[in-house]
């Protein structure tokens, strides 16, 4: 049964390299069924251009947080009994604020994207691991999963392929998963990957290549479950022009079923 609506709060976590990771933590109202790390869209940018020096001091001191949609998703997962932690994957960028997809798709939004592009995913993986370490303190025996959207979907895939202690990962339109380097990787835990049919951000040929790469014995054993939905990139995000409320509900139900199967039902206590 879903819990009453849990309330989240921000906390500063310290990664293993000393980096400070602002994270949004939502605890269920009962004992956690499992631990989920929820990874956000790339719709929050860290100013790195020359105009950043001229920003007002109040804004210059503002640290990036977690976008509204992923905070809501963390709260929704917590309402289902999961301990949900959403790290600000932009914490290693410069100070900034939330702009959203409409801003991102404009000329100035593209200018703000550039400082984050060269940031190595290995550094951000330390932030994800910091979230997991904190979650383990709160729920020491819980199974661990990751869920991501857009860039977060790609990070969830990378986590599934590199962190051997994960039990499940759900990737929503993880742009970059279909690239040659990423699609040849093999996950270390079961993965549910949701892709859209439009071609604005993910080429259908790339998605087909990802599917072909995982028609292996490993995939047949349900290590990688792929679902392609008739919809646009960003169908889960209400602030995105591709948002589809009905599709979002169906996909969320599929994600919850997948997480139930791999994080809850498959767990035996000795």
């Amino acid at each position: 049964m879903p819990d009453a609506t849990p309330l989240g709060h921000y906390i500063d976590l310290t990664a293993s390299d000393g980096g400070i990771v602002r994270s949004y933590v939502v605890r269920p109202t009962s004992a956690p069924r499992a631990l989920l790390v929820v990874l956000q869209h790339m719709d929050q940018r860290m100013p790195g251009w020359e105009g950043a020096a001229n920003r007002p001091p109040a804004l210059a001191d503002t640290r990036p947080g977690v976008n509204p949609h992923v905070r809501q998703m963390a709260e929704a997962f917590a309402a289902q009994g999961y301990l949900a932690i959403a790290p600000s994957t932009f914490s290693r960028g410069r100070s900034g604020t939330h702009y959203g997809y409409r801003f991102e798709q404009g000329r100035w939004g593209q200018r703000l994207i550039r400082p984050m592009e060269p940031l190595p995913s290995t550094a951000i993986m330390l932030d994800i691991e910091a979230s997991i370490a904190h979650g383990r303190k709160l729920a020491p025996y819980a199974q661990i999963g990751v869920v991501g959207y857009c860039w977060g979907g790609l990070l969830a895939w990378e986590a599934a392929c590199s962190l051997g202690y994960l039990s499940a990962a759900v990737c929503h339109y993880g742009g970059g998963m279909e690239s040659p380097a990423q699609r040849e990787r093999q996950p270390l835990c079961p993965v549910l990957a949701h892709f859209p049919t439009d071609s604005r951000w993910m080429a259908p040929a790339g998605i087909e290549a990802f599917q072909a790469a995982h028609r292996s014995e490993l995939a047949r054993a349900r290590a990688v479950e792929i679902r392609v939905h008739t919809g646009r990139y960003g169908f889960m995000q209400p602030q995105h022009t591709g948002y589809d409320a009905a599709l979002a509900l169906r996909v969320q139900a599929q994600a919850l079923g997948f997480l139930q199967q791999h994080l809850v039902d498959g767990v035996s206590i000795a």
Side-chain angles (χ1 to χ4, degrees):
M1 293 292 293
D3 289 344
T5 303
L7 297 177
H9 64 280
Y10 276 109
I11 186 173
D12 284 340
L13 303 177
T14 304
S16 60
D17 67 345
I20 302 301
V21 190
R22 195 178 190 209
S23 302
Y24 189 68
V25 180
V26 195
R27 302 180 69 166
T29 57
S30 55
R33 306 170 74 211
L35 165 62
L36 279 183
V37 176
V38 187
L39 301 169
Q40 66 183 346
H41 302 71
M42 183 171 273
D43 66 347
Q44 181 170 326
R45 310 301 177 188
M46 304 306 103
W49 47 288
E50 51 277 17
N54 298 322
R55 301 176 71 208
L59 286 179
D61 291 339
T62 299
R63 290 179 302 156
V66 177
N67 68 47
H69 172 250
V70 167
R71 292 201 305 270
Q72 292 165 6
M73 295 308 300
E75 291 163 0
F77 283 121
Q80 296 294 326
Y82 295 96
L83 168 60
I85 303 178
S88 173
T89 42
F90 299 95
S91 287
R92 293 176 184 268
R94 300 188 184 182
S95 297
T97 188
H98 172 69
Y99 293 97
Y101 274 103
R102 293 184 184 274
F103 186 87
E104 169 195 331
Q105 294 168 2
R107 178 171 59 91
W108 289 106
Q110 290 301 312
R111 198 172 184 184
L112 291 171
I113 290 173
R114 296 187 187 122
M116 294 301 295
E117 287 178 339
L119 192 63
S121 59
T122 51
I124 299 170
M125 207 59 59
L126 298 180
D127 301 342
I128 295 172
E129 291 179 297
S131 298
I132 293 170
H134 181 68
R136 280 176 159 168
K137 294 177 183 178
L138 301 178
Y141 304 108
Q143 297 293 302
I144 305 166
V146 292
V147 179
Y149 309 85
C150 182
W151 183 44
L154 172 60
L155 293 176
W157 171 251
E158 292 184 342
C161 295
S162 59
L163 303 180
Y165 48 76
L166 297 181
S167 296
V170 182
C171 309
H172 300 80
Y173 41 89
M177 288 176 62
E178 78 285 12
S179 68
Q182 290 291 343
R183 67 182 179 235
E184 297 302 327
R185 300 183 72 177
Q186 293 295 336
L188 304 176
C189 68
V191 173
L192 172 60
H194 294 289
F195 295 118
T197 52
D198 76 331
S199 58
R200 180 167 186 182
W201 299 110
M202 301 183 77
I207 294 174
E208 291 172 4
F210 185 93
Q211 291 177 296
H214 293 280
R215 292 193 187 109
S216 62
E217 182 177 348
L218 196 61
R220 286 195 295 272
R222 295 180 64 82
V224 181
E225 184 176 341
I226 302 167
R227 301 192 182 187
V228 180
H229 305 277
T230 302
R232 298 173 60 191
Y233 193 100
F235 57 75
M236 293 292 292
Q237 162 64 292
Q239 288 76 35
H240 196 280
T241 55
Y243 177 59
D244 184 325
L247 178 58
L249 285 174
R250 292 198 302 273
V251 169
Q252 177 67 357
Q254 292 167 9
L256 287 172
F258 184 83
L259 295 170
Q260 172 77 27
Q261 176 186 355
H262 294 288
L263 298 183
V264 181
D265 292 346
V267 177
S268 60
I269 301 176

